[in-house]
Amino acid sequence: MAIALQRALEKKVLIGGEWVESESGDRFEVRSPGDGSLIGTVPRCTGGDVKRAIAAAIEAQKVLARMSVKRRAELLWRAHEIAERRAEDDAVVLCREVGKTIREARDEIRTYSNPHFIEAAEGLKRFRGLINPSTQEDSLDKRLLITHEPIGVVGVISPWNWPADIPNIAVSHGLAAGNSVILKPASTTPFSAIAIAEIYQEAGFPAGSVSVLTGPGPTVGAELARNPGTNAISFTGETKTGESITAIAGIKRLLLEMGGNGPLVVMDDANLEAAVEAAIIGCFYLAGQVCTASERILLHDAIHDEFVDRLVARTKQLRVGDPLDEQTDMGPLNNRANADKVQAHLDDARARGGTFLLGGGSDGLYFEPTIVDGVTSDFLMAREETFGPVAPIMRFGSLDEAIELANETPYGLQGAAFTSSLRTAFLLGEGIRCGTVLINETNNYWDQLAPFGGMKKSGLGRELSDWILAELTEVKQISIDISKVKQ
Ligand code: NDP
């Protein structure tokens, strides 16, 4: 069943509670990676627009910081109601601008993005301070108040692969914590971020507390990072962009969620049927364009042949095509730059003698689900993030070798492993250097109330639930000597 397409969108940006054009007057087009059709146009903002948004955000933050916790939570609940009401329309726009399938787009809005409004509202109510007596022998009359204060203005710079869910983690929890937020979405997917700003505005958040600015990363994103008016940056994107933000941000709170090269380890005692399903989701969900994707499949020698046979058979069932078609399992890649990177990794694998068991071809932005056997540590796809629908197969003979292989990249976001031994599960869980290790689960699994983030070049800090509330607040200690106050 095909979904009726909407007419081209013409959106403005939100600054100080008003929907306005950029001071440049320029706009740029956004096209669907699925069929090249025009989705709409948005303003091409400048550094001057960023400065205006920051000035408004600083004033709005004073209003938010004085607002009661209950009132902030009520506004977030109202935002949730609005988001649920418009979820299907927003999913269609998201599907068109990312190129993910309509089923994946609905999943992003309903399963991941919309619950953040509630998680932030309820998390905020639990996120209280402490009062403790002093621990010092000579200070027993002192009481220590430990509180969480808003950090101020938070810049949120987000990627195209999850254009609603990812920014909304930081926006919802940032507002809950009493901060104002300025959102800069990826240029190929601005409409999902604009939808989020519309939701917060309709819910009644004070003017200026949420802004959205569209335009080039090196202009708009860099000004947000550099400007001393922002107190924290929540960035999600490529490691090299995160490194450039780190270089210009100066001393401010940085929450960095970056690239991955996640291993999926399959031991000789694993449930192979479950492990193959995990690989299908890990490698081909959103055409492999997920930071937590299974970027390397590490197989024990004893189960290699059976696993590979099953994986090839199962992958052949995937339907690649129009992302708006309800039957489609895998849509196109989002953009040419990413497609070029995937192609470079495939070319490198061919040149190094990798065995293509399936796929390897492409038509424009549509890539076939691909399985490459015989991958070794020198292949580009073993060393770097491919970000495409590719399952690179590597082999190992022992547990120690598996852990060594899993850890040999500079990334450390999310690792997964299959085993039926509890001892092996613990040794893998402890041995793999990733922010999350999932045993008997796909790499692409996320618990919404557990800490999420990367080690090594995958990130800095942890998001979701209380962990992101902690990242977006300042911890303050106030010490009161009660022996010196009047009765
Ligand atoms: P990019 O790093 O290219 O872009 C991310 C954001 O940064 C975009 O909004 C972009 O704007 C902006 N940007 C680009 N250059 C600059 C700059 N010099 N200064 C400030 N901002 C800038 O990442 P992608 O959008 O390509 O996203 C894919 C990457 O994101 C993958 O590496 C993936 O692993 C990672 N990712 C990590 C996640 C995690 O949680 N760890 C989750 C999801 C994705 P513009 O679009 O205008 O260039």
Side-chain angles (χ1 to χ4, degrees):
M1 181 189 72
I3 288 169
L5 298 186
Q6 300 167 345
R7 61 185 164 68
L9 303 167
E10 260 195 44
K11 296 284 184 177
K12 295 181 177 174
V13 290
L14 184 61
I15 300 178
E18 302 287 334
W19 291 98
V20 295
E21 292 292 343
S22 159
E23 64 175 14
S24 72
D26 290 347
R27 301 180 68 81
F28 63 95
E29 288 186 347
V30 179
R31 290 189 172 271
S32 158
D35 60 6
S37 60
L38 180 70
I39 302 174
T41 63
V42 290
R44 188 187 302 279
C45 290
T46 63
D49 295 316
V50 178
K51 289 180 184 135
R52 279 197 293 148
I54 291 175
I58 290 171
E59 291 312 308
Q61 198 271 323
K62 295 175 192 162
V63 179
L64 264 178
R66 283 195 301 270
M67 192 184 274
S68 73
V69 162
K70 277 195 89 172
R71 176 75 184 135
R72 270 185 249 156
E74 275 165 18
L75 292 180
L76 285 159
W77 272 98
R78 192 180 299 162
H80 177 260
E81 274 171 36
I82 297 164
E84 284 288 303
R85 194 187 66 216
R86 50 184 286 170
E88 181 61 19
D89 288 347
D90 288 344
V92 172
V93 172
L94 192 151
C95 164
R96 289 190 70 207
E97 66 178 0
V98 180
K100 63 173 62 176
T101 68
I102 185 65
R103 286 181 284 137
E104 291 168 341
R106 288 190 190 113
D107 220 24
E108 173 165 354
I109 300 264
R110 313 260 343 216
T111 311
Y112 298 109
S113 183
N114 287 358
H116 294 314
F117 298 107
I118 297 173
E119 286 150 11
E122 297 309 298
L124 169 66
K125 292 178 192 166
R126 293 191 308 271
F127 197 68
R128 314 301 299 278
L130 298 168
I131 301 181
N132 286 323
S134 166
T135 60
Q136 306 298 118
E137 191 63 34
D138 56 356
S139 301
L140 291 179
D141 279 331
K142 291 205 178 104
R143 299 292 180 272
L144 309 181
L145 280 64
I146 298 160
T147 62
H148 303 281
E149 290 189 352
I151 200 161
V153 177
V154 179
V156 179
I157 303 174
S158 59
W160 46 261
N161 62 341
W162 294 81
D165 169 48
I166 285 178
N168 202 27
I169 300 171
V171 176
S172 59
H173 290 83
L175 289 167
N179 303 298
S180 49
V181 180
I182 302 172
L183 172 53
K184 147 61 187 129
S187 293
T188 57
T189 56
F191 292 109
S192 298
I194 289 172
I196 287 174
E198 287 171 352
I199 290 166
Y200 284 107
Q201 196 191 30
E202 188 182 337
F205 275 89
S209 54
V210 180
S211 308
V212 64
L213 300 172
T214 49
T219 309
V220 178
E223 181 60 32
L224 265 182
R226 190 186 301 115
N227 194 299
T230 55
N231 307 92
I233 296 294
S234 167
F235 166 77
T236 309
E238 284 190 51
T239 297
K240 67 175 175 4
T241 314
E243 285 171 339
S244 80
I245 285 173
T246 307
I248 60 172
I251 299 174
K252 63 181 67 166
R253 188 76 53 84
L254 289 182
L255 177 55
L256 304 176
E257 299 289 351
M258 304 185 289
N261 192 353
L264 171 62
V265 178
V266 186
M267 299 300 297
D268 52 350
D269 60 356
N271 175 333
L272 288 194
E273 193 182 344
V276 167
E277 278 313 303
I280 292 287
I281 298 168
C283 296
F284 304 124
Y285 187 85
L286 179 43
Q289 303 165 108
V290 189
C291 52
T292 54
S294 307
E295 289 265 338
R296 294 170 294 150
I297 310 285
L298 314 185
L299 300 182
H300 193 285
D301 287 328
I303 49 86
H304 168 274
D305 294 356
E306 187 183 347
F307 182 96
V308 160
D309 287 348
R310 285 177 183 241
L311 183 65
V312 169
R314 179 67 182 86
T315 305
K316 280 182 179 163
Q317 297 171 353
L318 297 177
R319 290 155 301 199
V320 180
D322 177 4
L324 281 164
D325 186 328
E326 301 278 351
Q327 304 307 316
T328 297
D329 294 312
M330 214 180 83
L333 300 185
N334 175 259
N335 59 73
R336 195 64 249 165
N338 196 46
D340 288 346
K341 182 164 70 146
V342 175
Q343 190 58 54
H345 283 207
L346 295 176
D347 293 346
D348 173 81
R350 270 206 187 85
R352 291 178 192 275
T355 308
F356 281 66
L357 299 176
L358 198 68
S362 61
D363 179 7
L365 293 176
Y366 287 87
F367 276 62
E368 291 173 344
T370 297
I371 302 173
V372 187
D373 201 1
V375 173
T376 51
S377 304
D378 50 335
F379 281 47
L380 265 182
M381 54 180 66
R383 289 186 277 129
E384 296 175 8
E385 184 183 50
T386 304
F387 229 52
V390 185
I393 309 287
M394 303 175 79
R395 301 175 71 130
F396 63 86
S398 69
L399 176 64
D400 285 349
E401 209 188 321
I403 293 174
E404 201 173 310
L405 266 183
N407 289 340
E408 73 178 1
T409 81
Y411 300 100
L413 188 56
Q414 205 142 273
F418 276 74
T419 176
S420 56
S421 151
L422 190 58
R423 178 174 181 276
T424 309
F426 268 97
L427 294 177
L428 285 162
E430 290 158 4
I432 295 176
R433 292 268 301 151
C434 285
T436 305
V437 181
L438 301 140
I439 305 294
N440 296 331
E441 180 54 272
T442 175
N443 293 71
N444 279 335
Y445 171 82
W446 317 279
D447 187 299
Q448 296 301 89
L449 295 178
F452 177 87
M455 293 184 183
K456 306 194 283 186
K457 287 201 172 216
S458 288
L460 201 61
R462 293 291 178 269
E463 47 176 45
L464 295 176
S465 195
D466 289 3
W467 290 273
I468 191 165
L469 287 171
E471 299 284 354
L472 299 181
T473 47
E474 293 280 13
V475 175
K476 177 182 272 183
Q477 179 206 141
I478 301 171
S479 166
I480 301 178
D481 186 339
I482 56 173
S483 71
K484 311 234 171 25
V485 299
K486 289 190 179 150
Q487 296 305 312

